[in-house]
Amino acid sequence: MRVSFERTGGFAGISKKTTVDTDTLPPDEAATLPRLVEIADLFRLPELITSPNQESDRFQYKLTVEDNGKQHTVTVSESALPGSLRPLIEWLQTVAQKR
């Protein structure tokens, strides 16, 4: 499984990108990533999730998941972030900070 993650926006407008691949992650992280994708039910989420009230200085997240020949991209604004997706976003942000 491979996940590309990009966070844009925010007060400073700093973009953060990372790509994680279960083939190159330590075993514990390689086991965590698919579980978080499953909890988020990412492949069933719409491609775009926005809030009716666009707020400036909020983050926007773009995730592309590739797994077993399937690929799905979801772009979500911070203010519309589904609770099921939050653990995956937080985990990816932690991994991005380590790199």
Side-chain angles (χ1 to χ4, degrees):
M1 176 178 288
R2 183 174 149 144
V3 178
S4 300
F5 170 73
E6 181 178 8
R7 185 189 78 186
T8 56
F11 180 71
I14 297 172
S15 178
K16 191 177 278 194
K17 286 183 178 182
T18 194
T19 298
V20 292
D21 191 323
T22 53
D23 290 341
T24 59
L25 289 172
D28 60 325
E29 291 181 0
T32 300
L33 181 58
R35 281 198 313 268
L36 292 172
V37 168
E38 185 178 334
I39 289 167
D41 206 8
L42 200 120
F43 281 97
R44 292 181 186 229
L45 291 176
E47 291 183 18
L48 184 61
I49 304 171
T50 58
S51 172
N53 305 346
Q54 292 298 330
E55 300 173 33
S56 61
D57 300 334
R58 298 299 293 250
F59 291 119
Q60 182 157 311
Y61 306 101
K62 182 176 181 180
L63 298 102
T64 299
V65 178
E66 301 169 46
D67 188 35
N68 294 324
K70 296 186 298 183
Q71 180 176 318
H72 186 60
T73 299
V74 174
T75 303
V76 58
S77 62
E78 182 181 31
S79 57
L81 189 63
S84 63
L85 190 54
R86 186 172 303 279
L88 176 60
I89 296 287
E90 290 173 353
W91 187 85
L92 289 166
Q93 288 188 104
T94 300
V95 169
Q97 287 175 345
K98 292 178 185 177
R99 296 178 174 209

